[in-house]
């Protein structure tokens, strides 16, 4: 079936289950001819509780099959209070999940590593039952989220941590057989430092570490989610550099996504020597609204990610997503010369847009969604920034507001790829490979339309094309994909980690 929305905010081309809460993408792996995407999942409601692992697989990133819940907390077991984040590896005919085993009586911030194994392509998993890494270093004040990868004839693992001396860290382990692991020390660790001029920093601890190894003479990238329990907003950060023995030596931190609504991204090593990345896009509206609608959270589009020779990250929507372009809804080319809007045409609630904008001053594309409702994408050449402003994107006071920025080249045309899917917008700067993700919740029920605007006496030359964004194809779930036999809801608790 196609994933047609049951409400105006439910995306159609972004992966999520039919109902309830999801957060971090987990266990992203290509195995047995399929892309496997696991995710944090609450089968019982639209709030962060009862952490299981949901599971989809696809042969092509376009058609998806829901598989049974992969991981469920075992009453009285090492993961009694939740199967938290981790990853997966393909090892011959085995699909092996590594994840954070949560017990509130152990420590809210310490979630040691355990595993589960599938021999049937991911339909069923046998949990280890014990911990594969039972202890954490004494100087860890936070410890969770394993990431495992093959490096030649050995396996390596990173675990996110906060250290007692104030540093965030990714701790390195090594194994020959995925069973016995030796701690090698911090792969990288550093005290809080600013991430550019964003006002954000690298965090008290590092969650969900991911590693993109160096290749073809280009640097590698250590990606982590900067966790702050006391001081500041969370963000997704990348360090690019080189390995020297068991240590990653990297330069200054940079944002992976410049928007407010992307966190805990995860990597997948795909066929064709490419890497894909999915993130979690949480709701940007008050919880009661999402609970009433019966769902919360969505995964971003899959993005192809690479590291340029200068150490910058480049992201773009996966090539397969061109197949989700339907009818060409809009083609407009011309010039705007004033703040008076130039009408470009109508678009639906889900569209894939490309734009080339050339101007020497301030200019914008405006997505008008209703009376006094609009989302602005503005060029600010004086500041060298692209600004996405959702202050007027919803007339419902329960929706988040604010404007968000990413660096944008000046003195040359700006090429954009903008994918809007009901309540999520992902804006890609084509030349630099940067991306900004945000959620918005229009209330207007009329047709959406696009406008071009420019500052007084400042010409804006534009070429804009927008295609209908077709839904993913998701098979009808079988009876055992939502809850395994005999499960009962866990007691809700306040989570310590996304």
């Amino acid at each position: 079936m196609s994933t047609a929305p049951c409400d105006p905010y439910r995306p159609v081309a972004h992966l999520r289950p039919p109902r309830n809460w999801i957060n971090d993408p987990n266990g992203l792996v290509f195995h047995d001819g399929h892309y496997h995407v696991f995710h944090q999942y609450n089968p019982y409601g639209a709030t962060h509780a009862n952490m299981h692992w949901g599971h989809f697989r696809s042969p092509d990133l376009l058609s998806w099959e829901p598989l049974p819940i992969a991981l469920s907390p075992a009453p009285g077991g090492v993961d009694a209070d939740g199967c938290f984040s981790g990853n997966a590896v393909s090892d011959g005919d085995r699909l092996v999940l590594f994840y954070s085993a949560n017990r509130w009586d152990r420590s809210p911030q310490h979630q040691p590593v355990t595993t589960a194994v599938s021999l049937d392509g991911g339909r069923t998993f046998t949990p280890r039952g014990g911990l594969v890494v039972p202890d954490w270093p004494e100087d860890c004040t936070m410890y969770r989220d394993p990431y495992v990868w093959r490096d030649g004839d050995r396996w390596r693992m990173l675990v996110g941590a906060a250290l007692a001396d104030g540093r965030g860290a990714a701790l390195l382990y090594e194994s020959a057989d995925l069973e016995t692991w030796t701690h090698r020390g911090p792969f990288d660790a550093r005290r809080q430092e600013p991430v550019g001029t964003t006002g954000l920093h690298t965090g008290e601890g590092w969650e969900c570490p991911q590693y993109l190894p160096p290749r073809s003479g280009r640097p590698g990238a250590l990606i982590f989610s900067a966790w702050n329990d006391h001081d500041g907003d969370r963000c997704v950060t990348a360090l690019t550099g080189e390995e020297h023995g068991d240590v990653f030596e990297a330069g200054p931190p940079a944002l992976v996504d410049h928007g407010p609504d992307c966190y805990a991204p995860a990597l997948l090593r795909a066929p064709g020597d490419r890497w894909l990345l999915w993130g979690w896009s949480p709701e940007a509206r008050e919880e009661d609204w999402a609970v009433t609608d019966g769902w919360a959270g969505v995964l971003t589009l899959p993005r192809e990610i690479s590291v340029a020779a200068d150490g910058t990250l480049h992201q773009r929507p996966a090539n397969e997503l061109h197949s989700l372009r339907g009818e060409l809804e809009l083609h407009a080319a011309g010039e705007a010369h004033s703040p008076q809007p130039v009408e470009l045409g109508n678009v639906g609630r889900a569209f894939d847009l490309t734009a080339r904008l050339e101007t020497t001053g301030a200019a914008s594309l405006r997505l008008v969604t209703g009376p006094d409702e609009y989302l602005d994408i503005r060029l600010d050449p004086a500041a060298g920034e692209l600004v996405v402003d959702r202050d007027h994107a919803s007339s419902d006071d329960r929706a988040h507001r604010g404007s968000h920025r990413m660096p944008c080249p000046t003195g040359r045309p700006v090429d954009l790829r903008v994918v809007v899917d009901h309540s999520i917008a992902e804006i890609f700067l084509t030349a630099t490979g940067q991306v900004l993700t945000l959620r918005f919740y229009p209330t207007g029920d009329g047709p959406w339309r696009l406008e071009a605007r420019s500052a007084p006496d400042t010409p804006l030359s534009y070429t804009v094309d927008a295609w209908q964004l077709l839904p993913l194809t998701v098979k009808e779930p079988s009876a055992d994909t939502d809850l395994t036999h005999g499960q009962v809801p866990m007691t809700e608790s306040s989570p310590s980690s996304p």
Side-chain angles (χ1 to χ4, degrees):
M1 70 172 183
S2 295
T3 55
C6 58
D7 66 45
Y9 305 118
R10 184 183 175 83
V12 297
H14 288 72
L15 196 61
R16 62 153 290 116
R19 55 192 174 275
N20 300 327
W21 168 280
I22 74 163
N23 57 292
D24 303 5
N26 293 147
L28 306 186
V29 65
F30 190 82
H31 175 77
D32 196 26
H34 288 84
Y35 300 91
H36 291 259
V37 172
F38 301 82
H39 58 84
Q40 294 281 274
Y41 180 51
N42 177 6
Y44 308 105
T47 59
H48 188 303
N50 308 311
M51 285 296 100
H52 296 56
W53 276 32
H55 185 193
F56 290 93
R57 71 175 184 178
S58 171
D60 55 11
L61 302 179
L62 303 172
S63 56
W64 292 89
E65 177 186 6
L67 292 182
I69 283 178
L71 297 177
S72 303
V78 296
D79 55 8
D81 294 310
C83 303
F84 277 40
S85 293
N87 85 320
V89 295
S90 177
D91 180 35
D93 61 350
R94 301 194 308 159
L95 184 55
V96 186
L97 307 185
F98 287 78
Y99 67 99
S100 302
N102 187 42
R103 282 187 67 117
W104 298 119
D105 61 2
R106 180 193 296 122
S107 165
Q109 300 296 357
H110 295 85
Q111 299 157 14
V113 180
T114 189
T115 64
V117 176
S118 175
L119 297 174
D120 58 6
R123 293 204 63 83
T124 62
F125 285 87
T126 301
R128 182 187 188 89
L131 298 173
V132 68
V133 181
D135 300 308
W136 51 84
E138 290 184 0
D139 64 341
C140 283
T141 58
M142 182 270 276
Y143 182 91
R144 53 174 167 262
D145 305 339
Y147 176 78
V148 179
W149 76 102
R150 187 190 291 276
D151 182 8
D153 60 357
R154 62 180 175 173
W155 296 93
R156 304 174 87 190
M157 174 169 61
L158 299 178
V159 180
L163 304 182
D165 63 7
R167 292 180 297 164
L171 305 181
L172 180 64
Y173 293 77
E174 187 174 306
S175 174
D177 58 6
L178 294 177
E179 292 291 330
T180 302
W181 292 88
T182 302
H183 181 215
R184 296 297 191 188
F187 191 53
D188 199 341
R190 57 182 69 192
R191 296 185 183 276
Q192 294 179 27
E193 61 181 272
V195 183
T197 60
T198 63
L200 302 167
H201 59 73
T202 52
E204 300 168 38
W206 296 357
E207 295 189 295
C208 303
Q210 308 283 305
Y211 187 51
L212 188 62
R215 58 175 183 168
S216 304
R218 298 186 177 189
L222 173 61
I223 297 171
F224 60 89
S225 296
W227 172 79
N228 294 291
D229 198 25
H230 307 97
D231 180 22
D233 294 330
R234 302 178 184 187
C235 63
V236 182
T237 303
L239 305 171
T240 58
E242 301 287 345
E243 293 181 45
H244 294 276
D246 292 333
V247 175
F248 187 66
E249 296 185 1
L255 286 183
V256 173
D257 192 297
H258 294 264
D261 300 322
C262 179
Y263 195 71
L267 292 171
L268 183 151
R269 187 168 193 166
D273 195 29
R274 63 175 182 159
W275 288 82
L276 301 176
L277 176 145
W278 279 260
W280 165 45
S281 190
E283 295 303 306
R285 53 180 173 166
E286 291 185 7
E287 184 178 277
D288 66 332
W289 189 356
V291 168
T292 298
D293 285 350
W295 63 276
V298 66
L299 300 187
T300 67
L301 298 174
R303 305 169 182 177
E304 297 186 16
I305 184 169
S306 60
V307 183
D310 64 0
T312 58
L313 282 184
H314 284 239
Q315 298 176 69
R316 65 180 185 182
N319 279 338
E320 288 87 341
L321 301 185
H322 281 103
S323 295
L324 294 181
R325 286 180 174 175
E327 179 182 352
L328 181 66
E329 295 183 312
L330 181 155
H331 171 76
E335 287 193 353
H337 297 274
S338 76
Q340 293 299 313
V342 176
E343 296 284 347
L344 304 183
N346 290 350
V347 291
R349 289 177 177 261
F351 61 87
D352 183 350
L353 174 149
T354 61
R356 167 163 282 203
L357 308 176
E358 191 167 4
T359 184
T360 56
S364 69
L365 290 178
R366 175 171 291 184
L367 175 61
V368 180
T369 59
D372 302 316
E373 278 190 349
Y374 54 87
L375 182 72
D376 265 345
I377 302 174
R378 298 197 300 265
L379 298 179
D380 184 351
E385 293 177 327
L386 182 142
V387 182
V388 184
D389 186 342
R390 65 179 177 191
D391 274 340
H392 302 278
S394 178
S395 61
D396 193 312
D397 291 337
R398 297 174 296 170
H400 295 184
R401 308 194 186 284
S403 60
H404 303 274
R405 302 165 178 267
M406 63 179 161
C408 183
T410 60
R412 55 174 168 159
V414 175
D415 291 309
L416 298 175
R417 173 97 176 263
V418 179
V419 181
V420 171
D421 191 359
H422 292 261
S423 65
I424 183 171
E426 297 180 62
I427 297 97
F428 296 83
L429 271 172
T430 304
T432 65
Q434 296 177 94
V435 58
L436 188 156
T437 302
L438 56 70
R439 305 292 301 277
F440 70 114
Y441 304 88
T443 64
D445 56 6
W448 289 6
R449 66 183 194 276
L450 282 170
E451 298 176 349
R453 296 166 178 256
S454 67
D457 303 317
T458 302
L460 165 66
S461 175
Y462 59 82
T463 302
V464 179
D465 293 281
W467 294 263
Q468 176 191 11
L469 183 64
L470 300 175
L472 297 173
T473 299
V474 181
K475 290 184 179 179
E476 197 71 48
S478 60
D480 61 351
T481 56
D482 206 22
L483 286 177
T484 55
H485 180 70
Q487 278 187 271
V488 294
M490 297 158 50
T491 300
E492 295 215 3
S493 304
S494 296
S496 64
S497 165

